[in-house]
Amino acid sequence: EGRGLSNGHHLSYHPFIGIIKSWTGIREEDSALVSEKKLREKILRIYPENPDEVLPFIARFMGLELSGAAAVRISEIDPNALEKLMLRAIRELLVKLSALKPVVITIEDLHWADQSFLTLLRSLYELSHAHPIVFINVFRPGYEETTGSLVKFLFENHASALTSTETTTLDRDSARELISNLLLSGQIPETFAGNIVSRTGGNPFFIEEVLRSLIDRGIISFSSNAFQISDEAGTYDIPENIQEVLHARVENLDEKTRNLLDRLQLSDAIFISKYWMRPPTP
């Protein structure tokens, strides 16, 4: 899984770097040494006989520092040729992985992807015709320079392998199901769920942010492997729109984090605050 960033137009290949990190288990807090070790372990499983034929190119693609013979080898390659070798390594890696088991590549917020990544995607889509590889592209409409042109390319070149789905707001039953799934419980008070569904109009993002705001305030807590809803939830005044929810969440942050967000544009602040709802990490 990879993701575009609202300020990522100048971050070359960023979503695919996220895909490799997702596959290897590399975390943001990992040191360069730990990151390289995790990458090497994964590459070794795919290329047990010659991992160093691929590892340096994937590592450089990800921006990892190289050392020893790998660093010397990379330094001797012309920059233009190096980029082609990196992209070829990515392509071959996907083919190798798909020979072991089907590969699903999900890209969230694709409308924010940089042009280098979109060019890479265009070259990779054809793999799905000959290998068990599926690309799931999630994006918002109205971004003609990025996903607008990409959709046109897909319909012109890969229509036989393309499925397109336009999502809308959720109906009441689906919205209630979303709330139950996010809170890991089928026992959600009807009034509580009904108030959220009515105020949000079935907008999934709005629903998620309302629940997160309740978690921020301690009205919803996590214990015994499930989220618990306190009695205060019944008196919580749900904001009129998503902007008010996000503003309230920002105001509830500590001063240092709030000052950081004050320096960013609102669009960046919105998506920095967005994260998947998971049980708190111990």
Short mmCIF file of all heavy atoms in Angstrom, two decimals, residues 87 200 267:
data_model
loop_
_atom_site.label_atom_id
_atom_site.label_comp_id
_atom_site.label_asym_id
_atom_site.label_seq_id
_atom_site.Cartn_x
_atom_site.Cartn_y
_atom_site.Cartn_z
N LEU A 87 14.21 1.44 -12.29
CA LEU A 87 12.84 1.15 -12.70
C LEU A 87 12.71 -0.28 -13.23
O LEU A 87 11.69 -0.94 -13.03
CB LEU A 87 12.38 2.16 -13.75
CG LEU A 87 12.36 3.63 -13.28
CD1 LEU A 87 11.83 4.54 -14.37
CD2 LEU A 87 11.56 3.79 -12.00
N THR A 200 -23.63 13.68 9.49
CA THR A 200 -22.59 13.55 8.47
C THR A 200 -23.14 13.31 7.07
O THR A 200 -22.40 13.42 6.09
CB THR A 200 -21.63 12.40 8.81
OG1 THR A 200 -22.38 11.17 8.85
CG2 THR A 200 -20.95 12.63 10.14
N SER A 267 -5.03 22.72 3.91
CA SER A 267 -5.14 21.43 3.22
C SER A 267 -4.11 20.45 3.74
O SER A 267 -4.38 19.26 3.90
CB SER A 267 -4.94 21.61 1.71
OG SER A 267 -3.67 22.15 1.43
#
